[in-house]
């Protein structure tokens, strides 16, 4: 990606993150009043989730801004992993909130109470649904323009909020209008479990990034297929990939005819890089050139016999 392209993409992503923060602040204020007024455990769970939405949106804003920071002397690969570290901090807060909501819901079973002012609680949830729809539509337009991973993750989180707000409406309606006094704490426990599941998923993704987990196999194959189209390429081995925040990295050894001059071999490498840059503009590629038939003797993966799939495979012809 050129600096000009990055300059166009980052402002769009930052604007989407700011919109997300603004929406979370507005909904947090409304739901805070609604939780206090109605005493609903489900509304309290929704309030906690919105508070986490605000934190997630702030982390997204931080991550997007940090992603625009160029690599420096101490961080040659950029600062993308700061997003994963921030996500782990989020996970701790999400888990604590889930425990708190579950405890409050269990207490409500022992001392059931009628939900107060249900119309206000339902009205706030409806406003939250409409506002979330508007935010999602805006985020989708930004994702189409930028492909931002951070904004996409934030969008997925807000999509789940639609279901959460519908659950709050159902809990309040069943409790007040149908007379099922246990509906509110039941939905409260369900929300707590949902928050705990979200914390588990977030921690898995963050740990995968910190541990430099390889791309999914389908993505690796598709990437290699693009590289292998170049005429003159005789083979690819030691293919490695990883993700760091919103940045992707790929590196591999590329084999060419050993009788080629340095200039001719370099031209083939540049052609491969150009094809990959066109197909994957947000992936930083590092290619090591080898003469055809060369076998690396200092590859730690080979020595440890932990060669991942595709390593050592010949592609192209």
């Amino acid at each position: 990606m050129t600096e000009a392209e990055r300059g166009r993409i980052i402002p769009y992503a930052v604007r989407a993150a700011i919109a997300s923060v603004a929406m979370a602040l507005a909904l947090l204020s409304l739901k805070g009043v609604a939780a206090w007024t109605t005493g609903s455990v489900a509304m309290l769970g929704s309030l906690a989730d919105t508070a986490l939405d605000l934190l997630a949106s702030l982390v997204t804003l931080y991550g997007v801004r940090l992603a625009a920071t160029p690599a420096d002397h101490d961080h040659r690969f950029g600062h993308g992993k700061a997003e994963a570290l921030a996500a782990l901090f989020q996970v701790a807060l999400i888990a604590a909130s889930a425990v708190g909501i579950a405890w409050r819901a269990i207490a409500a079973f022992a001392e059931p109470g009628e939900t107060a002012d249900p119309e206000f609680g339902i009205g706030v949830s409806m406003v939250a649904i409409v506002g979330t729809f508007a935010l999602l539509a805006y985020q989708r337009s930004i994702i189409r323009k930028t492909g931002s991973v951070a904004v996409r993750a934030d969008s997925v989180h807000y999509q789940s909020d639609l279901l959460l707000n519908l659950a709050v409406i159902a809990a309040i309606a069943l409790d007040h209008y149908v007379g099922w006094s246990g509906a509110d704490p039941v939905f409260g426990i369900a929300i707590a479990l949902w928050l705990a599941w979200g914390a588990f998923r977030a921690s898995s993704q963050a740990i995968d990034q910190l541990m430099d987990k390889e791309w999914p196999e389908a993505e690796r194959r598709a990437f290699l297929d693009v590289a292998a189209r170049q005429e003159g390429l005789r083979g690819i081995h030691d293919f490695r990939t990883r993700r760091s925040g919103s940045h992707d990295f790929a590196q591999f050894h590329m084999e060419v005819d050993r009788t080629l001059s340095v200039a001719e071999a370099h031209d083939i490498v540049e052609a491969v890089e150009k094809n990959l840059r066109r197909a994957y503009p947000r992936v930083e590629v590092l290619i090591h050139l080898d003469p055809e038939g060369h076998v690396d003797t200092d590859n730690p993966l080979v020595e440890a016999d932990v060669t991942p799939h595709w390593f050592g495979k010949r592609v192209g012809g």
Side-chain angles (χ1 to χ4, degrees):
M1 182 189 305
T2 65
E3 288 302 318
E5 289 172 332
R6 184 180 296 276
R8 288 193 296 270
I9 287 175
I10 295 301
Y12 281 123
V14 170
R15 273 182 265 173
I18 291 174
S20 181
V21 170
M23 179 61 68
L25 281 171
L27 294 179
L28 187 67
S29 301
L30 278 174
K31 291 182 180 181
V33 175
W36 178 269
T37 303
T38 64
S40 167
V41 176
M43 180 60 76
L44 181 63
S46 182
L47 172 65
D49 183 68
T50 300
L52 294 172
D53 285 347
L54 175 59
L55 179 59
S57 297
L58 288 170
V59 170
T60 299
L61 178 59
Y62 168 78
V64 170
R65 291 179 64 87
L66 190 58
T69 305
D72 55 34
H73 181 272
D74 294 324
H75 306 90
R76 302 284 187 174
F77 290 96
H79 304 81
K81 288 191 177 181
E83 291 185 39
L85 293 172
L88 290 179
F89 176 73
Q90 276 192 70
V91 166
L93 294 180
I94 293 172
S97 296
V99 171
I101 296 301
W103 177 83
R104 178 67 183 85
I106 292 172
F109 274 119
E111 300 178 3
E114 185 178 358
T115 301
D117 202 354
E119 292 81 7
F120 180 65
I122 292 174
V124 167
S125 295
M126 290 299 296
V127 170
I129 289 173
V130 172
T132 302
F133 263 121
L135 177 63
L136 287 172
Y138 179 63
Q139 286 179 326
R140 279 195 295 270
S141 70
I142 297 299
I143 292 170
R144 283 195 297 268
K145 293 176 181 176
T146 68
S148 171
V149 176
V151 176
R152 182 180 286 110
D154 203 38
S155 179
V156 170
H157 189 77
Y158 275 100
Q159 288 172 29
S160 64
D161 284 359
L162 294 177
L163 295 177
L164 183 61
N165 284 300
L166 288 172
V168 171
I169 292 174
I172 293 176
L174 287 172
D175 181 73
H176 188 78
Y177 299 111
V178 180
W180 182 23
S181 59
D184 189 46
V186 165
F187 275 92
I189 290 176
I191 291 171
L193 292 174
W194 178 82
L195 288 173
W197 172 243
F200 172 75
R201 288 189 303 171
S203 64
S204 298
Q205 294 169 357
I207 291 172
D208 283 346
Q209 283 206 7
L210 291 172
M211 295 296 292
D212 288 334
K213 183 178 180 179
E214 289 284 333
W215 298 351
E217 190 62 26
E219 292 184 33
R220 288 168 52 81
R221 287 178 178 272
F223 188 89
L224 284 177
D225 286 342
V226 173
R229 295 170 192 165
Q230 178 58 42
E231 184 179 355
L233 187 151
R234 298 296 181 86
I236 289 177
H237 60 277
D238 285 6
F239 177 46
R240 311 181 196 187
T241 60
R242 67 185 181 90
R243 287 198 164 95
S244 180
S246 58
H247 300 286
D248 284 357
F249 298 88
Q251 64 184 67
F252 55 85
H253 289 215
M254 190 185 91
E255 297 180 24
V256 297
D257 188 336
R258 62 175 55 245
T259 63
L260 294 178
S261 68
V262 173
E264 290 170 331
H266 183 264
D267 287 342
I268 296 176
V269 172
E270 285 202 328
V272 172
E273 289 177 338
K274 183 178 180 181
N275 293 337
L276 290 172
R277 198 159 46 238
R278 186 183 302 113
Y280 298 90
R282 297 178 182 87
V283 178
E284 184 173 321
V285 181
L286 177 63
I287 301 176
H288 176 84
L289 187 63
D290 282 335
E292 185 178 12
H294 175 77
V295 178
D296 292 314
T297 59
D298 59 347
N299 187 339
L301 291 174
V302 174
E303 293 173 1
D305 195 25
V306 292
T307 305
H309 185 62
W310 270 104
F311 276 46
K313 291 277 184 140
R314 291 291 188 267
V315 299

